[in-house]
Amino acid sequence: EIFNLFQGFKLQPEPVEYNQEAVDIYINHIKYITNNDKITGEYLLNYISHLFQNPQDKPNVAIVIKSIPGCGKDLLIDILSGIFGAKYIARSGDINEQIFGSFNPMLRNKLILQCNEVDSRDGYKNKDKLKHLITADTIQINDKHCKLSSYKNCLRVFIFSNNDNPIYVNCDS
């Protein structure tokens, strides 16, 4: 009773020579965007590794990266898009309209949702919807002129911003 929509990743495993330099470049980029904080960098690396090891299992947490413009937040997802394929990545610059508006087909069958330039007004306004999107086992997809449909939620949510406090964070839990 389950219809599998998985079409495979863009890069297929092939015997290739291990390239430590390429690995070091990616790890150095993670160190850079986490301000060389060892614990934060390791957490982000493990979060990304989990995506490769268990793409069907969502971690129930989002990654929020706040930085100055031009530090390479998008590059983090660009690299993952090159590996998985753009069809598994949703990128939104307007969470009010594209994610939480009337129609949200961009979320169908995605592994990564990149929310760009989230400001505190939108982050706080949509805090409950964001929490649901991050933790729900299924998501509802609403296409124009189509019946509402339910899909397994495998999204990893990345929230990128240049603004202070882009989302509400409950410190009590």
Side-chain angles (χ1 to χ4, degrees):
E1 297 180 15
I2 296 173
F3 184 64
N4 186 351
L5 298 171
F6 181 68
Q7 299 175 355
F9 295 130
K10 181 178 178 180
L11 288 183
Q12 296 299 313
E14 296 177 7
V16 294
E17 191 172 316
Y18 180 75
N19 184 341
Q20 185 62 48
E21 183 180 357
V23 172
D24 290 341
I25 289 171
Y26 193 67
I27 295 200
N28 285 334
H29 184 64
I30 288 176
K31 287 178 183 177
Y32 179 72
I33 62 174
T34 58
N35 201 29
N36 288 310
D37 182 87
K38 185 175 181 174
I39 294 171
T40 306
E42 190 172 309
Y43 185 89
L44 181 56
L45 194 56
N46 287 335
Y47 187 91
I48 293 168
S49 297
H50 182 264
L51 175 58
F52 285 94
Q53 296 161 355
N54 300 292
Q56 74 283 357
D57 298 333
K58 62 182 178 40
N60 290 330
V61 296
I63 297 295
V64 179
I65 299 178
K66 184 259 181 218
S67 71
I68 59 171
C71 83
K73 297 180 295 285
D74 288 321
L75 181 60
L76 183 71
I77 304 302
D78 290 344
I79 292 168
L80 296 174
S81 180
I83 295 168
F84 289 112
K87 65 184 168 189
Y88 295 112
I89 313 290
R91 290 178 157 173
S92 173
D94 183 355
I95 63 171
N96 287 316
E97 182 65 31
Q98 297 173 319
I99 307 301
F100 302 122
S102 299
F103 306 105
N104 62 350
M106 72 182 307
L107 297 180
R108 181 183 293 108
N109 302 322
K110 299 301 191 247
L111 292 174
I112 294 173
L113 169 61
Q114 176 186 354
C115 301
N116 266 333
E117 304 310 328
V118 176
D119 64 21
S120 57
R121 180 184 60 237
D122 294 338
Y124 281 65
K125 173 183 166 190
N126 293 298
K127 69 180 181 180
D128 293 327
K129 293 175 186 176
L130 268 170
K131 181 182 178 193
H132 179 76
L133 187 63
I134 293 163
T135 60
D137 291 331
T138 59
I139 55 174
Q140 302 297 313
I141 302 297
N142 193 12
D143 273 313
K144 264 187 183 177
H145 311 295
C146 292
K147 187 174 116 182
L148 192 67
S149 54
S150 183
Y151 287 80
K152 180 178 179 181
N153 182 7
C154 296
L155 281 174
R156 273 69 169 185
V157 179
F158 289 80
I159 299 169
F160 296 159
S161 182
N162 300 330
N163 301 300
D164 289 330
N165 304 313
I167 63 165
Y168 173 79
V169 176
N170 183 353
C171 298
D172 295 336
S173 47

